[in-house]
């Protein structure tokens, strides 16, 4: 299918908003063990922070024998100040189900669990103080499954339970309440089934919609301004025994809107494609990455970068769209019954591939794949706006029940050691935690790390 003029109206800088999305069944409770704060400085305000780089993330504090507390935090890298947005808005903002900051840090959204489903709330927030404007807080909709922010709208799915072929509506409401305050005037974006998914663009009125059948995956756009939809690509399975495509597979669009980055595990082989958006409809080329088998013993011996079994999380793009980054994960397993040395570990790395995806894959983290803490697990990452740093979440070296945020230089692979807590690995390389907490009888978990720049 050829691309109509809708796609030529696309904004020049589009990027997928990974956002912050948390989902946790633990109850929120302000009572917790006393923490020995070894990695962040207490601060009441992020003052004079225009143009500053902010790291936002979800933090879960789980004291032994007590309920967990979940917070949404904003850390100013220039000032080393951290705001706990839940604590600053006690009784209003809750992250027990999910909470999310808008790309421009001017709105916060959260789901509040009630009988019959989850209510979606949004409110303006002043990121310099972390305070919500409670007078402008509003309930957008009830029975909401998921939601994401663009710069000007909140996009959410609502309807029957997720799963199977149940009908789910995808809707949009402006952040400006004067234009539309709630679900009664929401714009219908698409009708989904429980097998489909959506992504949003942080700097564009476009919504990326992924629909799947037993034999295909279709990717399309919906323009929130023109209210016009367009299918771009349909991928079909070549196996003949049902599609292995999934709407949850990693997927993204470059900031300049010129190409997509698509990962799929078709015919038990992980592949990547970077098709051009403007020439949508033409069959894109796929590049094989690695086999998707669960425990093939040869994965322990494969050469870089093709030694993994799957791709995790949506890709993250360089600001100039010249490349995209992704997390590769693989099982390294060998069976002593076959006279092999017993090995059972997981390997992770952050890889980079150019827009011309036939180019060489670059390994950014270069984790030594050994049975040691320096073979760091990666449960989330993001690229700084200047393309110089990667923030990723990994287990702590001396406390695997907790994790921390590490900051890595993309160009030379060195860790930011400005905030202490450095560790020397058996490979001779020094690794340093950037955001972390030491706690007594308490697990500390981070997730959904995301870079922002204060407008």
């Amino acid at each position: 299918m050829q691309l109509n003029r809708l796609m030529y109206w696309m904004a020049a800088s589009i990027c997928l908003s990974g956002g912050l999305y948390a989902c946790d069944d633990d109850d929120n409770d302000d009572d917790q063990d006393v923490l020995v704060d070894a990695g962040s400085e207490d601060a009441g305000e992020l003052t004079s922070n225009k143009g500053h780089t902010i790291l936002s993330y979800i933090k879960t504090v789980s004291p032994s024998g007590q309920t967990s507390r979940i917070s949404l935090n904003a850390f100013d890298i220039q000032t080393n100040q951290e705001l706990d947005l839940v604590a600053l808005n006690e009784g209003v903002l809750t992250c027990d189900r999910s909470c999310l900051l808008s790309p421009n840090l001017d709105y916060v959204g959260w789901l509040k669990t009630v009988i019959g489903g989850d209510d979606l709330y949004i409110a303006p927030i002043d990121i310099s103080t972390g305070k919500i404007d409670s007078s402008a807080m509003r309930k957008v909709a009830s029975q909401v499954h998921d939601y994401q922010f663009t710069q000007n709208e909140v996009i959410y799915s609502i309807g029957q339970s997720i799963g199977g072929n149940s009908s789910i509506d995808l809707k949009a409401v402006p952040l400006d309440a004067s234009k539309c305050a709630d679900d009664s005037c929401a714009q219908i974006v698409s009708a989904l089934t429980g097998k489909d998914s959506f992504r949003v663009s942080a700097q564009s009125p476009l919504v990326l919609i992924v629909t799947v059948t037993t034999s295909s995956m279709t990717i399309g756009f919906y323009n929130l301004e023109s209210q016009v939809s367009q299918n771009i690509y349909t991928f079909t399975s070549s196996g003949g025994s049902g599609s292995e495509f999934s709407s949850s597979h990693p997927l993204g669009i470059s900031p300049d809107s010129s190409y997509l980055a698509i990962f799929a595990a078709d015919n038990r082989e992980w592949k990547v494609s970077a098709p051009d958006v403007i020439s949508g409809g033409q069959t894109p080329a796929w590049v094989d990455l690695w086999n998707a088998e669960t425990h093939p013993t040869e994965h322990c011996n494969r050469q870089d970068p093709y030694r993994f079994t799957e791709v995790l999380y949506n890709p993250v793009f360089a600001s100039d769209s010249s490349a995209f980054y992704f997390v590769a994960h693989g099982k390294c397993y060998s069976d002593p019954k076959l006279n092999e040395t017993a090995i059972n570990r997981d390997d992770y790395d952050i890889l980079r591939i150019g827009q011309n995806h036939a180019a060489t894959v670059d390994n950014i983290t270069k984790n030594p794949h050994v049975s040691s803490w320096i073979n760091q697990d990666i449960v989330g990452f993001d690229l700084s706006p200047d393309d110089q740093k990667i923030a990723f979440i990994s287990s702590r070296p001396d406390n695997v029940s907790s994790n921390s945020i590490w900051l890595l230089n993309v160009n030379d692979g060195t860790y930011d050691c400005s905030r202490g807590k450095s560790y020397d690995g058996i490979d001779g390389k020094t690794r340093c935690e950037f955001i972390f907490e030491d706690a007594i009888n308490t697990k500390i978990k981070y997730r959904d790390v995301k870079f922002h720049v204060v407008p």
Side-chain angles (χ1 to χ4, degrees), residues 327-371:
V327 175
H329 166 244
K331 287 281 189 181
C332 176
Y333 175 84
S334 60
D335 191 347
K337 295 180 180 179
L338 300 177
N339 295 320
E340 298 172 336
T341 302
I343 300 175
N344 187 8
R345 69 166 191 266
D346 292 87
D347 295 331
Y348 295 82
D349 269 311
I350 296 174
L351 307 182
R352 177 179 60 199
I353 193 168
Q355 178 178 357
N356 175 9
H357 62 286
T360 302
V361 177
D362 298 316
N363 191 327
I364 303 302
T365 46
K366 296 183 175 67
N367 286 333
H369 295 170
V370 294
S371 298

Side-chain angles (χ1 to χ4, degrees), residues 84-337:
D84 181 337
L85 304 182
V86 173
L88 289 168
N89 299 278
E90 186 175 4
V92 178
L93 175 62
T94 174
C95 292
D96 292 355
R97 175 63 177 86
S98 80
C99 52
L100 177 70
L101 277 171
S102 64
N104 284 340
L105 299 171
D106 53 352
Y107 275 82
V108 63
W110 66 97
L111 291 180
K112 183 178 181 180
T113 300
V114 296
I115 297 176
D118 293 309
D119 292 341
L120 171 61
Y121 287 85
I122 65 172
I125 190 168
D126 181 351
I127 199 60
S128 66
T129 64
K131 296 295 184 65
I132 286 174
D133 181 358
S134 57
S135 65
M137 179 180 71
R138 69 190 200 265
K139 185 175 81 170
V140 174
S142 299
Q143 294 185 322
V144 172
H145 301 302
D146 192 9
Y147 66 101
Q148 296 177 30
F149 282 113
T150 68
Q151 285 190 334
N152 300 310
E153 295 90 9
V154 58
I155 316 297
Y156 58 95
S157 56
I158 184 172
Q160 300 297 317
S161 299
I162 292 291
N165 295 314
S166 300
S167 176
I168 300 170
D169 287 329
L170 191 61
K171 297 184 177 183
V173 165
L175 299 182
D176 183 351
S178 67
K179 297 180 180 180
C180 176
D182 55 37
D183 192 65
S184 63
C185 54
Q187 182 177 343
I188 301 294
V189 174
S190 180
L192 307 176
T193 73
K195 299 177 181 179
D196 304 331
S197 69
F198 70 100
R199 317 285 196 278
V200 302
S201 302
Q203 301 172 9
S204 165
L206 299 176
V207 180
L208 185 65
I209 300 170
V210 186
T211 57
V212 295
T213 69
T214 57
S215 60
S216 68
M217 176 175 68
T218 298
I219 299 173
F221 290 105
Y222 181 88
N223 189 311
L224 292 165
E225 293 181 350
S226 66
Q227 301 183 27
V228 176
S229 60
Q230 174 71 44
N231 286 337
I232 307 303
Y233 287 104
T234 296
F235 302 95
T236 58
S237 175
S238 59
S241 59
S243 174
E244 295 180 55
F245 291 116
S246 170
S247 64
S248 64
H249 281 165
L251 177 67
I253 185 170
S254 62
D256 66 359
S257 75
S258 65
Y259 70 97
L260 302 173
I262 305 170
F263 295 89
D266 191 31
N267 288 324
R268 295 180 175 84
E269 188 78 22
W270 273 96
K271 305 176 181 181
V272 61
S273 183
D276 183 76
V277 169
I278 300 302
S279 60
Q282 300 178 8
T283 302
W286 289 94
V287 172
D288 290 344
L289 292 176
W290 44 71
N291 191 277
E293 295 289 339
T294 304
H295 291 303
T297 58
E298 67 269 15
H299 282 172
C300 296
N301 301 314
R302 286 185 175 184
Q303 297 299 309
D304 288 328
Y306 303 109
R307 61 160 67 202
F308 303 98
T309 55
E310 63 178 335
V311 178
L312 304 176
Y313 321 122
N314 288 326
V316 174
F317 292 84
S319 60
D320 64 357
S321 302
S322 61
F324 53 95
Y325 298 72
F326 59 98
V327 175
H329 166 244
K331 287 281 189 181
C332 176
Y333 175 84
S334 60
D335 191 347
K337 295 180 180 179

Side-chain angles (χ1 to χ4, degrees), residues 8 47 60 236 387:
Y8 292 94
T47 57
T60 302
T236 58
D387 299 329

Side-chain angles (χ1 to χ4, degrees), residues 26-39:
D26 291 335
D27 295 328
N28 192 352
D29 192 329
D30 288 336
D31 296 330
Q32 63 184 66
D33 289 350
V34 176
L35 299 183
V36 180
D37 187 351

Side-chain angles (χ1 to χ4, degrees), residues 24-35 58-71 96 399 401-403 437-447:
D24 199 299
D25 293 330
D26 291 335
D27 295 328
N28 192 352
D29 192 329
D30 288 336
D31 296 330
Q32 63 184 66
D33 289 350
V34 176
L35 299 183
I58 298 291
K59 180 167 65 177
T60 302
V61 179
S62 304
S64 178
Q66 300 182 37
T67 53
S68 298
R69 181 181 182 277
I70 308 169
S71 63
D96 292 355
N399 181 6
S401 64
S402 296
N403 60 27
E437 286 192 11
D438 291 324
I440 301 172
N441 297 322
T442 301
K443 297 178 182 178
I444 307 291
K445 292 283 190 178
Y446 297 89
R447 59 184 158 195

